[in-house]
Amino acid sequence: MGNNSLNMLFKVCFFSVLFSALVHGKPLSLVTSEGPPHTINNKLFSGIDLDVTKAVLRQLGHSVNLHFVALGRAEMLVRSGQYDLMAPIFFAKDSDNFYISDPIVTYKPMVFSLSERNLSPDSISDLAKYAVITFQGAPGYFGDAFKVMSEQAQYKESADMSVIPEMLAKSRYDFAVLDQYIFYYFYRLNDKQRPIDIFKHHYLIPPVTASVAFKDQMLRNRFNYELKKFKQGKGYAKIVEAYLGRMEQVALTEAQ
């Protein structure tokens, strides 16, 4: 066999091995904190954010091992190099050994009321004269106007977010404030067909995008490329439907 043939054979073998390594990458360690339906510590269902992340990485040839820790520790564990990635992360920028993906999911903090009440607040301040239920610590997320409102309204914070949709549905409160995914996840937890047209949405709080943080910049770049293709298909909608049921009446699209 001549030198040219040997060189060609070497190149073929080299690129075959390289391609195989890319397609069948090593398992990745993802660290997160539990917060249904975005992140769920369950062997069968891991939540919208994590399912999106795993689906994209699967297309890159990677399996993912999930590790759940106390809120706030995940970022430190990735920055220190102990884990490969974390999700979700908000308001973050690239830094040394910590690279932020394009948005995977848009969190939509929402003010809900009952449609039959026909309430139409124009701002958070307008809630001050009503009964409002929300999650524990909400004023720390939604700014000064929300904090002022919370001190003036008939205001309740619930440590158990699962009860909030039911309290509104039973007219115990005039308004509920909760992420749109979380609200409908708990409202339909035991019945994905429950009607949702009984609720009215008030878009008074800006949405927030969630991303994935990687310790490897090249993997983050490849993830972004595959994520864009994933969003153009039907995979995202199928993941959301698995947790919330069909949501024709509500715009629950991912961040573009």
Side-chain angles (χ1 to χ4, degrees):
M1 185 179 292
N3 288 336
N4 289 337
S5 297
L6 287 174
N7 288 336
M8 181 63 69
L9 179 61
F10 173 78
K11 289 180 180 179
V12 170
C13 291
F14 173 79
F15 285 110
S16 295
V17 171
L18 178 61
F19 178 77
S20 178
L22 290 174
V23 173
H24 302 288
K26 71 178 182 67
L28 299 172
S29 296
L30 188 158
V31 63
T32 186
S33 299
E34 187 166 24
H38 292 283
T39 54
I40 300 174
N41 191 358
N42 184 291
K43 292 183 178 181
L44 298 177
F45 303 99
S46 53
I48 295 170
D49 299 26
L50 301 182
D51 280 358
V52 170
T53 302
K54 291 194 300 181
V56 174
L57 289 170
R58 191 179 304 119
Q59 294 303 309
L60 296 174
H62 290 283
S63 60
V64 178
N65 297 322
L66 300 178
H67 304 268
F68 288 81
V69 300
L71 186 65
R73 287 194 61 216
E75 181 174 344
M76 178 192 70
L77 292 171
V78 176
R79 286 187 180 276
S80 66
Q82 298 178 63
Y83 290 85
D84 297 303
L85 62 159
M86 65 163 291
I89 191 168
F90 309 91
F91 307 113
K93 296 182 179 181
D94 286 1
S95 57
D96 291 342
N97 303 315
F98 198 73
Y99 303 97
I100 310 304
S101 77
D102 292 336
I104 53 169
V105 176
T106 298
Y107 284 48
K108 295 184 177 181
M110 191 69 58
V111 178
F112 297 88
S113 67
L114 291 176
S115 299
E116 64 183 20
R117 297 286 306 281
N118 199 30
L119 299 173
S120 298
D122 294 319
S123 68
I124 288 295
S125 300
D126 290 344
L127 308 185
K129 56 186 177 182
Y130 294 97
V132 179
I133 186 169
T134 187
F135 61 95
Q136 199 167 47
Y141 291 91
F142 300 143
D144 293 339
F146 194 96
K147 185 176 186 301
V148 172
M149 178 278 295
S150 71
E151 295 168 348
Q152 298 173 345
Q154 182 184 333
Y155 178 82
K156 167 73 174 178
E157 292 184 8
S158 174
D160 182 0
M161 288 189 285
S162 69
V163 307
I164 294 176
E166 294 303 324
M167 291 295 99
L168 181 62
K170 294 176 180 178
S171 299
R172 303 284 177 83
Y173 293 86
D174 302 306
F175 294 101
V177 182
L178 199 60
D179 170 73
Q180 203 172 48
Y181 285 114
I182 297 173
F183 185 92
Y184 286 117
Y185 172 73
F186 285 121
Y187 178 68
R188 282 181 154 183
L189 188 60
N190 298 312
D191 180 4
K192 295 296 187 290
Q193 305 300 319
R194 291 186 77 181
I196 59 176
D197 57 357
I198 68 168
F199 299 113
K200 184 177 180 181
H201 301 159
H202 309 282
Y203 297 86
L204 306 179
I205 303 173
V208 177
T209 56
S211 298
V212 182
F214 295 82
K215 71 176 184 181
D216 183 271
Q217 186 177 21
M218 184 177 294
L219 180 58
R220 186 280 308 272
N221 294 344
R222 294 173 61 223
F223 179 89
N224 282 347
Y225 179 79
E226 196 66 36
L227 176 64
K228 185 176 181 180
K229 293 194 296 181
F230 181 77
K231 288 181 177 181
Q232 293 170 348
K234 298 180 180 180
Y236 183 89
K238 289 181 179 179
I239 288 173
V240 172
E241 185 174 326
Y243 292 95
L244 308 184
R246 296 186 66 84
M247 304 290 291
E248 294 91 344
Q249 302 99 315
V250 181
L252 287 172
T253 57
E254 75 277 19
Q256 299 296 327

